[in-house]
Amino acid sequence: MTAFEIEPGRLFVGGQWREAADGARTEVVDPSRGAVVTTVAEAGAADVDAAVRAARDAFDGGAWSGLSGRERGRILHRVAELIRENADELARLESLDVGKPISLCHAVDVTNAANDYEHFAALAYSLDGSVRDTPMNALAYTKREPIGVVAAITPFNFPLILAGSKIGPALAAGNTVVHKPADETPLSALYMAGLLKQAGVPDGVVNVVTGSGPVAGEALLRHRGVDKVAFTGSTAIGRHVAAAAGEALKPVTMELGGNAAHIVFEDAHLEKAVGAIIKAFVFNTGQFCMGGPRLLVARPVYATLLGILSEAVPGVPVGDPRNPETVVGPMAGEKHLKKVEEYVDIARKEGGRIVCGGERLDLDGGYYYKPTVIADLSNDSRVVQEEIFGPVLTVQPFDTEDEAVELANSTPYGLASGIQTQNLARAHRIADRLQAGIVWINDWAMLDPAVPFGGVKDSGFGREYGPEALAAYTKVKSVVVSLD
Ligand code: NAP
């Protein structure tokens, strides 16, 4: 039972569904069949302007920013409840749009989105400042205020979660939002616009403009009415977005690309490690910024582990995302599939040995690629150094702890990292030396809204989740009251 239907070809501006000013639309494709499923509006600069004005008016009007944190929190709790009540429809849309297995959409995307709103609802209750001790005869205190209109720009791979990880803290802190989802995967953003309204978020507080990055994204980014930019996407586009925001002196948070190393020491519990290794590179069909596509293995267990992977990986169920048994669905779009093929071709030319996979899976006209393991590449191979963003694992041996750390830190990225060892001292010692925003020990992708994540180096700056995320959507005001 759905609360409402998405209006095909409409934007959500000022609490109303409306066509793009010039009536333009773009097609949404089901990647498991390569077939068009619906059309959405393609916003131009005039639509973005209308959305930012709606957000500005809503912010200045105080219908949201003027509420207490507790009142906002109550509404955000309702958003979490509505996500759970509409879990089947949200999971169906996310699966249809991105090609994610339906079981993954339920267990990860929908569950986490609800948990995230709940987490930020709770944080809204405790948005506070502090009293400062000074030698002045004065009462000095700080308070946290919302920043204003937030431009939230999100990528194609986790549309629901990554929108919530921006809209949640932005709303908790009292801001208003214009959200531009990826042009390939806009459906859950539109559905959420309806749920937010149903939960009681006032008109104009959240606006959704579907459209392309170069047109709608660029217009949003450069709009003078935007006070903060929250961006998740590739490092290349992030660099461009950060430069434009910097020129306009707007605060930004940058959640960018990754290419994490997963280090397996000779004392690892190999049976357990194998599950984490496979999850790290096939999760979300490898379209996971925090995936672990670079496996570094201590030489004494290198051959054994490669042998285990060569048998286990071909057994991972790849196929129709509607099948509840499917673990790996198609790539989210044809261009992503072609990119993976190009990188595997490069690997072959560079002398890489394809241990398993290395080819498309021909199924229903969808964009499927078999989970692929590649050995014998040098560390300076492009396949090792660059972000492929597909179900591809490279495997390299190492001889010492120092070498493992050096290899792990050798790419420009620094989002996530992982260690497999049963030696506690070694785990902490290596975690300290890894250049990454998060380090997982003896498992992968352990994520929770209480635990901040974000990158270092070319993976960006700023943190999502936890109180750190809420702080990024507030500005601090100091008030000093003379006691003379
Ligand atoms: P992308 O191409 O950089 O796009 C991200 C968003 O930026 C999309 O909404 C895109 O719109 C928009 N955009 C493109 N050009 C723009 C411009 N000139 N001005 C403003 N916005 C613009 O990234 P993607 O391919 O969707 O996503 C994959 C990347 O995101 C990977 O690198 C992955 O590692 C990264 N990622 C990072 C995190 C993290 O938390 N660090 C999480 C998830 C993904 P269009 O879709 O219309 O092009």
Side-chain angles (χ1 to χ4, degrees), residues 153-158 162 166 180-185 211-221 231-238 240-241 254-258 287-290 335-336 339 387 389 413 415 453-455 459 464:
I153 302 176
T154 52
F156 74 88
N157 60 333
F158 283 95
L162 294 172
K166 293 173 177 50
K180 194 211 88 66
D183 60 352
E184 277 180 305
T185 56
S212 80
V215 177
E218 193 74 29
L220 180 58
L221 165 67
F231 177 84
T232 300
S234 62
T235 296
I237 303 289
H240 168 76
V241 171
M254 286 281 139
E255 296 289 345
L256 308 180
Q287 302 162 123
F288 181 33
C289 55
M290 302 174 113
K335 68 178 181 191
H336 306 298
K339 186 177 163 198
E387 184 185 42
F389 224 53
Y413 296 103
L415 195 55
F453 79 86
S459 293
E464 294 203 322

Side-chain angles (χ1 to χ4, degrees), residues 258-259 286-287 293 331 336 339-344 347 374 377 382-394 413:
N259 188 11
Q287 302 162 123
M331 306 292 299
H336 306 298
K339 186 177 163 198
V340 172
E341 286 185 312
E342 279 167 26
Y343 272 106
V344 176
I374 308 175
L377 285 169
R382 285 184 55 201
V383 183
V384 172
Q385 288 293 318
E386 297 176 12
E387 184 185 42
I388 301 174
F389 224 53
V392 177
L393 181 74
T394 61
Y413 296 103

Side-chain angles (χ1 to χ4, degrees), residues 440-472:
W440 289 302
I441 295 167
N442 292 337
D443 201 350
W444 199 269
M446 293 179 286
L447 290 162
D448 185 89
V451 181
F453 79 86
V456 298
K457 305 197 293 187
D458 283 5
S459 293
F461 47 84
R463 291 293 177 265
E464 294 203 322
Y465 287 166
E468 289 81 358
L470 194 65

Side-chain angles (χ1 to χ4, degrees), residues 23-159:
R25 289 189 180 195
T26 184
E27 293 175 338
V28 179
V29 172
D30 169 0
S32 70
R33 293 180 181 150
V36 175
V37 287
T38 188
T39 59
V40 296
E42 179 139 24
D47 302 301
V48 170
D49 182 53
V52 176
R53 282 173 193 277
R56 177 93 266 149
D57 289 348
F59 184 77
D60 293 344
W64 185 253
S65 55
L67 295 181
S68 67
R70 191 184 303 169
E71 287 165 316
R72 290 197 298 266
R74 272 196 203 118
I75 293 174
L76 294 179
H77 267 303
R78 181 72 190 123
V79 175
E81 281 169 14
L82 284 172
I83 290 174
R84 292 190 179 113
E85 284 168 24
N86 291 276
D88 287 347
E89 182 58 4
L90 269 168
R92 186 186 73 80
L93 285 175
E94 206 73 334
S95 178
L96 182 70
D97 211 5
V98 193
K100 286 170 192 276
I102 191 75
S103 46
L104 181 81
C105 292
H106 273 286
V108 175
D109 300 79
V110 176
T111 301
N112 285 11
N115 292 346
D116 294 353
Y117 274 100
E118 207 163 59
H119 175 76
F120 287 111
L123 286 183
Y125 289 18
S126 56
L127 200 64
D128 53 11
S130 59
V131 176
R132 301 298 166 98
D133 180 35
T134 77
M136 301 183 285
N137 186 26
L139 170 64
Y141 63 90
T142 64
K143 49 187 299 208
R144 289 203 167 266
E145 297 181 341
I147 295 174
V149 175
V150 173
I153 302 176
T154 52
F156 74 88
N157 60 333
F158 283 95

